[in-house]
Structure formats: C-alpha cells, structure tokens
C-alpha cells in the first residue's frame, strides 16, 4: 500500500462515479410517479378526503375502471378533510398535485384564481367527458367565468339530523313549513321533557347561517366578499350563548371532546344541522334511530336551501387531461359505480346513476325521500358564490363560534375577531 | 490511530499527517492539504462528504435563506411572493391569536420544563441506588421517551383525559368533577404538560450518568459531619451535577419551545378548544398550511429562532452563577 497517496486516480474516478450514480438514483426516485409507464399505459393519481369506508368503495370503482380502460392506471390517496387540503396546497404549490381531486364549491374560486384546476370544457368538446344526463343543471355547478372546473359526483342539501326517539318522546314533529319559532319551542319541549339539549349548537355552522341569511334576503358571501356584518351576526351569536347557558344547546366542552364524532350520536343533543348525506354516518355511529327533518324558515316558506355538491376536478398541471376526463366521466356515469358508492358522496348527480341505485337501508332511503321532498316543495334555489378564501372563513367561523360558546370570549369580541379574520382571509387568498 | 480498510487495494489516508495535524504545532509534517497527496486526501474527504454537503445546502441552508426572504413577503404558495417589508412582524404583534400562542407556549415552557426535569432527577436518584431489578426499572422509565413523541401516545393520552375516561372517573372518586380535561380550555394545557413530563426518560438517563460521577467520599464525609439527606442533596448532589443540570435545562427548554406534535394531536388538530393549546408552532403551521400565509409563517419561524437564541444566551450567561465545573474540567 502506498503511503503517499490516499486514493489513486482510478479509485477517485470510481468514487465520483458512484456518488453521481447515487445522486442520479435519488433524483430518478423523486421524478417518477404519474408519468407514462411501459406499453403506453398511463398512470393518473386521484386523491380525496373521507374515511376508510369511502376508500374501500372508491377502490372498488377503480378496479372496475381499470378493467374497462386497461391502458389507464389509477393510484389513490386519501386523508381527512382538513389534512387533505393541507396536503393538496403543498403539492399544488410544489408543482406536483394529483391529477384528479375531490373538490367542493368553497375552493372553486380560490383555485381558479391560482390556475390550479383544469378547464374540463375542451375535454367535453373532444368527447372525453360526457356532460349529458345531469340532474337539475348540476353539470354547470362548477362553472366559473366560463371555465368548467369540476363535475359533480353527488349532490346534497342541508338538513336537521334528529334523534327520532327523543323527538317522538318529546312530542315534537318537524315538517316542511315549520319556522324558527316552532323549532325553538321544540328545543324547550325537549329540554323540559327529556332533559337533554335539543341541538348541538348550530352557531358555528357556516352553511346553516348562510341559509338563515338567505331567508332574510342576504347571503354569507357575495362575489368577492362578505354578505353580512356585525348587525346580523351579533344578535345571532348573543342568542347562541344564551341558549348554551340555558342548556338548549349542548355542553360545548363535551362536544369538543368527542370531535370528530357527532354530538347527537353521543346523546349530547337531540339533533344538529348538517348535510343530509351525513346521516348515514349517524346510523353507523349511534345507538338510536336518526332521521332527517326539514330546515326551519323565517316566513314558513323560503328555507334558502340549495344543492351543495362534491365534485371531481382535474389538475391544470396534469400531463394526461384526456385520461383525467375519461376517469371523471366514468365516475359520474357508470351505473355500477352508483351501486357501489350509494349516497356516500351525496345523491348521484346524473339521472341514470340516481336511478341505478335504489337504497334498501333506512338511512339511505330517508336521504332519497328528503331530497325528493325538498325538490317537490320547490325549496331549491341557486347557490350563492364563494369567493377565494371562503375555506379559511369557514374554519374561522367554526372555531370562533366554538370559543364563544365555551365562554372564552364575549359575543362582541367574537364578532369583531371573526370579521377581522375573514377580511384577512379574503384579502390574502 | 486505526484505519478502517474499505476494500482491498484502497490505501488508508496518510495517517501520520492527520495525527500530526490534530496534535497542532507539535506535529512535524506540514499540515495536510498543502502537499499534493494532502490535497488529494482533502478532495477525497469532500467527495465522501458530498451527499451530506448537498443535503445541507439544498435541504437546510437553502430553505432557511428562502424562508428569511419569505418572512418579508406576502406569499400564498401559488402567486409569486410580494415584498411587504416588516409588515408580517407588525401584523403579528397586532394579532390576538399570535399573542395567545406566545402566552400558551411561555406557560408550557415555564411549567412543563421544570416539572419534567424535577421528575427526571427524582427518578434518576432513585434508580442510581443499587437495587434488585435495577436495569428493568431503568428501561421501564426510559420507555415513554422512546414512544412519547409518537402520534399514538398522544391519541392514547387524549383517550385517557376525555370526559368519562380514566382520569375523569378517578377524579370523581375524590369528589372532583371537571368532565374531562380535553374539552376544557382551562385544563387541556395541563394534560399537555403531563404528557411532556411523562417523557422524562432522556434527561433522566443524563442525570443518571451525572449522579454516577459524584464521588462517594463526599457523602461519607458529610454524613460524618452530621448532614441530613436534604443538606446532602443541596450541598453535594446539586452542585456536583450542575453541569449536567445545565445541559438538561438548556436542551429541554429549547425542545419545549418547539412543541408541536403532541399539542396538535391532543387537540384533534384544532389547537383548541378556544385556542387553549395554540402553541407557537401550531399557529405557525395553521397560518402556513391552512391559511396559505407562508410569508407570515416564515416570519413567525424566524422570530421563534431569535427568541430561542435569546433564551439560550441568557441561560449561558446565568451559568456562571450556578454551574460548578471541577478545576480544569471546563
């Protein structure tokens, strides 16, 4: 062994080669994924929010899709709602978003402003995406400034999920046309006869407050800002705090602890306002029987309701827009998909899918009956727009509503705090 | 000096030179790197280090510099960063939630760190004595630190402190009704502190090593002079282990400032209820990843760095007064 030279030139070259190969491998590892595989097969990534149950159903649909479209492979990924958007934001900002995502109306303008979503219009023109057969104009649901940013997979509407046994025992029978006064009288009846709070505390639910505002000729959002101010929110939250103290709304400490479970399924309240398709989860989680009651109104007529919707959107960055459109089209039209998914993401958006799935179980039957009833009663209206930043506003509304009802802030301070946070969110998104 | 032979034919680095270099001015040969083979040796060294250097530049130094730049901008992840000077910093002080996060973190550091260290020292002193099954106890007490930072531990903790769970029911036996700590804005911070204290294993092991170094003769002499256990603790044990104590205080304080995971999980990703567990990093994360205010989040990160730096400086300054090093041991 030579004492003079540590490593000779040949060895040095070898080493350099190895290092470079190592770095190259790492780089290759980062770069793969989503690209074309061998034999003309294309891989697209689809991610959504939801629980294990939805994951199983979606996986089944994808197996079916891959069988019918052998040249397209679909890789999947899912998180809970909150985590989903954190991950998506990071991926999108890093230039590596999934090709197809589950999406909601709250995010449309936000991502439209940032050019994140694929305009599916051209794909529909090319015939890769079928836009026929959607219920009640739902195919236009995600149209923003002439661009088609998503296709609905299911529609749902706000409802009051109730513990039927408690309501029955208290002798409260909600029906279409009931007013907020009727509802409030019901809460008092439930408290006095059943000794439990009638509601989980609706004051943090943005979508419900939107309905209340719409019943009074306003709305939560305008095209580019807030549709209400202190004059509207202060009385609403002042009243809410009083009702928590009176025990008409659930003990908020307990509601906090059981999250993300529902207050109603834990017997902390006799009901709560939420999306109608959530009622399936109530039956799975709780021991009582749960039903859907209509939204009360101010005048006994207008509830302000509209169809909300989950949709599938493509990424503007995708290298495979045609395959993305094919997949979305399959998920919205295939009859077998309808039978697998049921009402998991709301009532199917296309008439054919809606008819292909006939629910056999009580919770899903109730959803079908509820959606039919509100449509027949002529309650449905067009949705009000959600400006960019609406998602952050919604989170702030929920959080500050909870702080208020925990007694950590006065209604005045809470309203001030919310409006200031909303302003920041709408300005910076 | 021994060399590890990597493969046949690869000669070891010129050992004598590196020894000489380390020995400083007493070495005979010129420092490595000035001669041709020396330079080659350096080059080999850098080549071996290159993955680390690349990692440092691209994964640590680069992002840090970029984040310093971002802290003076408004950046929502999607649009290009917009320079706004010091506005993020002024906004921060005007933001009540930011002030709340400073309050919660300070509270957590001030209460959690001393209690954790006290627990670590107390158990270390118990385990320092020769007892049957000593190694089992040491392992058992250390175990929570291994799993302590994990998500699962925080989830279990959440279950323990919920309404109607073990802690709640035990309290009720003593006539204390709080209805669980997790949903209570006043109490949840103590559940968080308890979780931290429970993870005292790492400082405990260090204390244990320190305690082993205290000469027995000191205690024997003190006992002969009639010093009781408290006197022996305050006048022998504490001064003798003060360097170890200083090390632990420093490390745990820095660590406490950065708490995130347990607060995030314990509060079910809300940092609540009513912002009661809104620790600094939790708010930073929310601003960055939920509200897409990366500039603001970066500014918060840099302010935290400065604050931790200041606290560290104060601790170093204070050590002159209470840390005793043996002569020549400094």
């Amino acid at each position: 062994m030579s004492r003079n030279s540590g490593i000779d030139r040949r060895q040095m070259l070898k080493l350099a080669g190895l290092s470079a190969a190592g770095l190259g491998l790492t780089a290759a590892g980062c770069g793969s994924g989503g690209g074309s595989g061998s034999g003309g097969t294309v891989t697209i990534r689809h991610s959504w929010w939801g629980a294990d149950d939805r994951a199983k159903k979606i996986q089944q649909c994808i197996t079916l899709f891959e069988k019918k479209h052998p040249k397209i492979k679909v890789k999947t990924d899912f998180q809970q709602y909150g985590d989903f958007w954190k991950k998506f934001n990071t991926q999108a900002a890093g230039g590596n978003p999934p090709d197809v995502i589950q999406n909601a109306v709250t995010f449309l303008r936000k991502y439209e402003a940032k050019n994140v979503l694929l305009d599916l219009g051209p794909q529909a023109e090319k015939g890769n995406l079928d836009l026929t057969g959607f219920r009640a104009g739902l195919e236009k649901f995600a149209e923003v400034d002439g661009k088609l940013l998503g296709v609905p997979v299911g529609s749902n509407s706000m409802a009051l999920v109730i513990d039927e046994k408690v309501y029955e025992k208290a002798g409260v029978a909600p029906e279409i046309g009931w007013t907020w006064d009727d509802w409030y009288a019901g809460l008092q009846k439930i408290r006095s006869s059943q000794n439990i709070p009638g509601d989980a505390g609706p004051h943090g639910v943005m979508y419900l407050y939107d309905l209340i505002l719409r019943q009074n000729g306003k709305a939560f959002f305008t095209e580019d800002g807030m549709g209400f101010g202190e004059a509207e929110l202060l009385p609403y939250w002042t009243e809410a705090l009083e009702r928590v103290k009176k025990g008409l709304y659930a003990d908020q400490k307990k509601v906090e602890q059981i999250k993300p479970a529902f207050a109603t399924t834990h017997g902390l309240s006799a009901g709560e306002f939420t999306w109608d398709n959530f009622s399936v989860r109530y039956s799975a989680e709780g021991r009582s029987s749960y039903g859907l009651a209509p939204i009360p109104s101010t005048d006994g007529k207008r509830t302000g309701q509209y169809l909300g919707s989950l949709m599938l959107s493509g990424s503007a960055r995708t290298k495979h827009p045609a395959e993305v459109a094919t997949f979305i089209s399959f998920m919205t039209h295939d009859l077998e998909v309808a039978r697998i998914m049921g009402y998991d993401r709301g009532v199917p958006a296309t008439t054919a899918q809606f008819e292909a799935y006939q629910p056999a179980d009580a919770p899903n039957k109730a959803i079908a009956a509820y959606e039919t009833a509100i449509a027949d009663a002529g309650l449905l209206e067009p949705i009000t727009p959600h400006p960019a930043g609406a998602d952050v506003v919604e989170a702030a509304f929920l959080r500050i509503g909870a702080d208020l009802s925990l007694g950590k802030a006065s209604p005045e301070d809470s309203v001030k705090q919310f409006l200031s946070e909303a302003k920041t969110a709408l300005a910076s998104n | 000096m021994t060399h590890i032979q990597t493969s046949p034919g690869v000669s070891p680095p010129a050992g004598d030179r590196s020894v000489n270099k380390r020995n400083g001015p007493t070495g005979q040969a010129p420092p490595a790197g000035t001669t041709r083979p020396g330079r080659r040796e350096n080059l080999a060294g850098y080549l071996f280090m290159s993955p680390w250097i690349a990692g440092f530049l691209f994964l640590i130094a680069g992002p840090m510099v970029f984040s310093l730049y971002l802290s003076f901008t408004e950046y929502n992840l999607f649009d290009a960063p917009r320079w706004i000077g010091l506005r993020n910093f002024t906004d921060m002080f005007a933001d009540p939630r930011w002030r709340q996060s400073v309050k919660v973190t300070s509270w957590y550091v001030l209460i959690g760190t001393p209690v954790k260290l006290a627990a670590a020292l107390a158990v270390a002193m118990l385990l320092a004595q020769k007892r049957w099954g000593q190694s089992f106890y040491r392992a058992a007490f250390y175990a929570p630190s291994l799993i302590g930072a994990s998500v699962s531990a925080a989830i279990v903790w959440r279950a323990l402190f919920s309404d109607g769970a073990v802690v709640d029911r035990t309290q009720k036996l003593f006539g204390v009704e709080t209805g669980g700590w997790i949903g209570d804005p006043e109490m949840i911070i103590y559940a968080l502190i308890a979780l931290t204290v429970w993870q005292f294993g790492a400082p405990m092991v260090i204390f244990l090593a320190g305690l082993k170094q205290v000469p027995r003769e000191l205690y024997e002499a003190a006992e002969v002079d009639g010093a009781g256990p408290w006197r022996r603790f305050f006048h022998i044990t504490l001064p003798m282990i003060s360097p170890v104590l200083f090390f632990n205080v420093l490390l745990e304080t820095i660590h406490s400032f950065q708490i995130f995971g347990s607060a995030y999980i314990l509060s079910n990703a809300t940092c609540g209820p009513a912002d009661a567990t809104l620790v600094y990093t939790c708010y930073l994360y929310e601003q960055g990843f939920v509200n897409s205010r990366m500039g603001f989040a970066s500014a918060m990160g840099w302010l935290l760095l400065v604050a931790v730096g200041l606290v560290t400086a104060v601790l170093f300054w204070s050590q002159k007064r209470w840390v005793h090093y043996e002569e020549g041991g400094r």
Side-chain angles (χ1 to χ4, degrees), chain A residues 1-9 11-12 15-16 19 23 83 85-86 88-90 92-94 110-111 113-114 116 252-254 256-260 268 391-392 395 399 402-403 406 408 417 421 424 427-429, chain B residues 5 9-14 16-17 36-37 40 43-44 47-48 50 74 76-79 95-97 158 161-163 178-186 264 268-270 273-275 285-286 289-293:
Chain A
M1 261 183 242
S2 139
R3 266 179 60 88
N4 292 333
S5 64
I7 296 173
D8 69 23
R9 186 168 296 156
Q11 283 152 354
M12 185 74 89
L15 242 173
S19 297
L23 284 172
D83 297 328
W85 291 109
K86 285 171 206 161
F88 178 73
N89 281 338
T90 319
K110 171 176 179 165
Y111 292 128
K114 295 168 176 46
V116 171
Q252 300 296 304
K253 270 194 206 172
K254 293 188 174 173
E256 282 293 326
Q257 308 206 35
I258 55 145
K259 274 179 185 169
L268 298 178
D391 54 327
V392 180
R399 191 191 70 245
D403 293 0
L406 281 161
K408 292 304 285 182
Q417 171 77 9
E421 281 191 33
T424 311
S428 64
N429 266 277
Chain B
Q5 196 160 334
V10 177
S11 29
D16 293 340
R17 285 198 185 88
R36 200 161 164 267
R40 202 174 262 189
L43 194 57
L47 209 61
F48 273 113
S50 62
E74 188 177 273
N76 63 14
L77 276 173
F78 297 95
D79 305 319
D95 178 357
R97 293 193 76 209
R158 188 176 156 77
F161 283 92
S162 274
D163 185 26
T178 53
W181 297 17
I182 299 297
D184 190 334
E186 309 291 333
Y264 188 71
N268 191 30
T270 62
D275 287 344
Y285 177 76
E286 192 184 309
F289 291 94
V290 183
N291 298 355
S292 305
R293 292 177 76 193

Side-chain angles (χ1 to χ4, degrees), chain B residues 218-236:
Chain B
L218 292 179
Y219 290 111
E220 284 157 14
E223 237 168 303
V224 171
D225 287 344
W230 286 110
R231 258 204 123 94
R232 292 205 294 274
F233 175 72
F234 283 109
H235 290 98
I236 300 172

